[in-house]
Amino acid sequence: AQTVTQSQPEMSVQEAETVTLSCTYDTSESNYYLFWYKQPPSRQMILVIRQEAYKQQNATENRFSVNFQKAAKSFSLKISDSQLGDTAMYFCAFMKHGNAGGTSYGKLTFGQGTILTVHP
Amino acid sequence: DTAVSQTPKYLVTQMGNDKSIKCEQNLGHDTMYWYKQDSKKFLKIMFSYNNKELIINETVPNRFSPKSPDKAHLNLHINSLELGDSAVYFCASSQYYTPRITKNIQYFGAGTRLSVL
């Protein structure tokens, strides 16, 4: 079974600064996807960024980028130029690759979440 | 237009009652999911359906029964509600269910907060 660990229950950052959220995972799979989702106070789950394990290049989406270290099973999220609207709970999540098939395909395993507060 | 919509957004009920939460997606997706987020914000999958067929069925009490009348809808029915069922329930959908998919992103509804008194 896969596990996802986010060791930082809470983080805070000043507006316009950079912050990094940590995530580690444990799996015996070689092919998988990793995601960061954001849950603002509105409760809506919003996809922030996605990484395929077979790609060495780190994913980036505007101000959001990841540092994916496959050997270390680490997948951190860097938010640059933080904005007040980035205040939310952030979840790291793991999914087996489609080729794994079976009844667990599509199952997202989430970490415990990190509450990020951006201060003006 | 809301892509994945859940109703109701809030549900307050007494122990022992039976209730349903409805989910609809207008994204043309084949696969739908139910997740439970507990009071500590931990999210865990409960079920998934692909084209009305049950695919994932985690260890969930059989008081919970998902029903998929068509691939755009996945409803969650809960019998004999207990205090421990209080949580936020999220519906999600994704485009494909195939081993060769390389783009599988799940889109979530806004959640239904269930409070059992």
Side-chain angles (χ1 to χ4, degrees):
Chain A
Q2 287 73 33
T3 58
V4 179
T5 302
Q6 293 177 248
S7 58
Q8 304 153 317
E10 293 188 47
M11 294 279 286
S12 64
V13 65
Q14 292 296 124
E15 201 174 4
E17 293 187 347
T18 296
V19 64
T20 298
L21 308 184
S22 301
C23 172
T24 58
Y25 56 94
D26 188 24
T27 184
S28 57
E29 303 287 335
S30 58
N31 245 344
Y32 47 86
Y33 304 114
L34 294 163
F35 303 86
W36 278 98
Y37 277 88
K38 165 184 174 180
Q39 187 177 37
S42 66
R43 204 170 68 201
Q44 180 75 52
M45 293 287 289
I46 302 164
L47 178 69
V48 174
I49 199 164
R50 165 179 177 268
Q51 174 85 39
E52 289 99 330
Y54 57 86
K55 287 188 177 178
Q56 292 189 343
Q57 186 174 6
N58 288 326
T60 61
E61 286 287 342
N62 301 315
R63 297 182 296 107
F64 299 88
S65 61
V66 298
N67 183 4
F68 173 50
Q69 302 288 327
K70 190 172 183 179
K73 295 181 182 173
S74 168
F75 183 60
S76 60
L77 174 69
K78 185 169 92 171
I79 306 174
S80 304
D81 186 25
S82 297
Q83 300 176 359
L84 297 178
D86 296 333
T87 291
M89 190 152 192
Y90 286 79
F91 291 94
C92 179
F94 172 101
M95 182 196 295
K96 280 185 186 178
H97 191 272
N99 284 339
T103 56
S104 62
Y105 176 70
K107 173 182 172 181
L108 275 171
T109 300
F110 287 90
Q112 308 94 315
T114 297
I115 298 172
L116 175 68
T117 304
V118 180
H119 297 287
Chain B
D1 287 342
T2 304
V4 181
S5 59
Q6 295 179 227
T7 52
K9 284 190 166 39
Y10 299 93
L11 185 51
V12 181
T13 188
Q14 299 289 327
M15 267 175 47
N17 284 350
D18 302 339
K19 290 293 177 186
S20 292
I21 305 172
K22 294 185 177 181
C23 180
E24 175 182 4
Q25 53 93 3
N26 62 5
L27 297 167
H29 287 170
D30 294 315
T31 309
M32 295 183 73
Y33 310 82
W34 278 110
Y35 289 86
K36 178 180 179 181
Q37 185 174 40
D38 63 23
S39 58
K40 294 184 179 178
K41 301 289 190 181
F42 186 65
L43 269 157
K44 189 167 191 238
I45 193 165
M46 301 172 69
F47 303 103
S48 79
Y49 269 74
N50 180 64
N51 271 324
K52 304 192 293 176
E53 181 184 349
L54 180 66
I55 301 301
I56 295 174
N57 185 353
E58 291 289 288
T59 308
V60 175
N62 58 15
R63 298 182 295 103
F64 289 79
S65 54
K67 286 185 172 47
S68 182
D70 55 62
K71 73 174 191 177
H73 295 84
L74 179 62
N75 304 322
L76 183 65
H77 189 76
I78 315 170
N79 288 329
S80 304
L81 277 155
E82 300 177 357
L83 294 176
D85 297 332
S86 295
V88 178
Y89 292 85
F90 284 96
C91 178
S93 72
S94 63
Q95 190 167 9
Y96 296 120
Y97 178 78
T98 162
R100 297 199 181 278
I101 188 62
T102 56
K103 293 184 186 297
N104 187 307
I105 296 171
Q106 293 183 22
Y107 295 87
F108 284 76
T112 296
R113 180 177 295 280
L114 171 65
S115 299
V116 182
L117 307 176

